[in-house]
Amino acid sequence: FRSLIRLFSQTKSQAEIQNSHDHALQAVELTNHYIAEHHAMLTMFATMFVGALNIKTGLVSYINAGHETVFVINSQGKISQNLKRTAPAVGMMPNVSFKIQQAHLEYGDTLFSYTDGVPEAKAPNGEFFQMNKLMSILEEPFISATALLEKISNRLTTYIGEAQQFDDITMIALTRRLE
C-alpha cells in the first residue's frame, strides 16, 4: 500500500504537486482501485490516514480511509478537532470516491494519530487499555510532540507489562511551530 501511494503520488511534475495537495491525496483513490481490481480475491485492505500539511498556512488536506480518529490538540491542551473517517478502508471496493477534507492547524497545535493497537493493548489480565485512558493522556500537558509520544508509550509499556503484544502499536504526532 505504501509503495503504491508513493508511486501514484509522483505521477505529476514537482511543480504541479506543489500547487495542489489534491493530486498527492488522489493517490489513495488510485491505490484503492488497483488493490480492489487486482487483489480482491485476497480480501486485501488497509486503513490509512493520508494528509498533506502546508507549513506556511497550516492547512491540512487529508483522507481518513477507515482509520482511527485523528486528533488536533490546541496549544491550551484541549482537543480542538476530530478528523474522523471520510471513506472506507483502501482496497475494500473498486471505484470508491475518496473525498478530501481539510482542517487547519494554528501555531502550537499538535496533530496526533495512532493505530487501533493503542486502545486495544492488553494488560496481563486481558483487559484493554481503552480510549478513555488514551484520551486522559491527551488531555494532560505536554511540551512537545515527542514528549507526548513518549508519555503514551511509557504508559502503554507499563500497562502491558509482561503480556504478549497482540497488535501493532503505532503513533505519530506533529506540532506546528513558528518558523
Side-chain angles (χ1 to χ4, degrees):
F1 285 87
R2 185 174 58 208
S3 295
L4 288 171
I5 294 288
R6 284 182 182 155
L7 173 73
F8 292 137
S9 292
Q10 298 173 4
T11 57
K12 285 199 174 189
S13 72
Q14 196 61 31
E16 290 172 303
I17 291 171
Q18 288 175 355
N19 290 331
S20 173
H21 289 233
D22 293 353
H23 178 73
L25 294 172
Q26 287 170 353
V28 174
E29 217 167 85
L30 294 169
T31 300
N32 176 72
H33 184 71
Y34 180 87
I35 295 293
E37 286 293 314
H38 298 282
H39 301 288
M41 64 288 206
L42 300 174
T43 319
M44 184 182 291
F45 68 92
T47 68
M48 62 180 72
F49 179 89
V50 179
L53 170 64
N54 181 320
I55 59 173
K56 292 181 180 167
T57 66
L59 185 67
V60 178
S61 300
Y62 70 92
I63 293 172
N64 184 338
H67 195 66
E68 301 297 317
T69 298
V70 173
F71 298 106
V72 176
I73 305 159
N74 66 26
S75 60
Q76 290 77 43
K78 302 292 181 203
I79 294 174
S80 60
Q81 298 176 69
N82 297 316
L83 310 183
K84 296 182 180 194
R85 294 176 180 154
T86 60
V90 174
M92 297 285 286
M93 301 170 282
N95 303 317
V96 173
S97 178
F98 287 81
K99 186 177 177 190
I100 297 169
Q101 299 290 326
Q102 294 185 323
H104 186 262
L105 296 183
E106 299 290 339
Y107 289 112
D109 284 357
T110 299
L111 185 134
F112 172 74
S113 182
Y114 60 96
T115 59
D116 61 355
V118 174
E120 294 175 2
K122 287 185 180 180
N125 66 4
E127 289 184 23
F128 290 120
F129 188 73
Q130 298 184 2
M131 276 304 295
N132 62 341
K133 287 183 181 70
L134 176 59
M135 297 303 289
S136 70
I137 297 169
L138 294 178
E139 293 169 356
E140 294 174 8
F142 56 91
I143 59 172
S144 69
T146 301
L148 174 63
L149 294 173
E150 287 174 357
K151 182 188 296 189
I152 296 168
S153 181
N154 290 339
R155 299 264 181 92
L156 281 169
T157 299
T158 301
Y159 187 82
I160 294 168
E162 299 297 319
Q164 185 81 323
Q165 184 177 329
F166 96 107
D167 199 358
D168 72 291
I169 295 175
T170 305
M171 301 177 287
I172 187 169
L174 66 91
T175 300
R176 182 173 182 228
R177 299 276 181 219
L178 288 172
E179 295 180 60

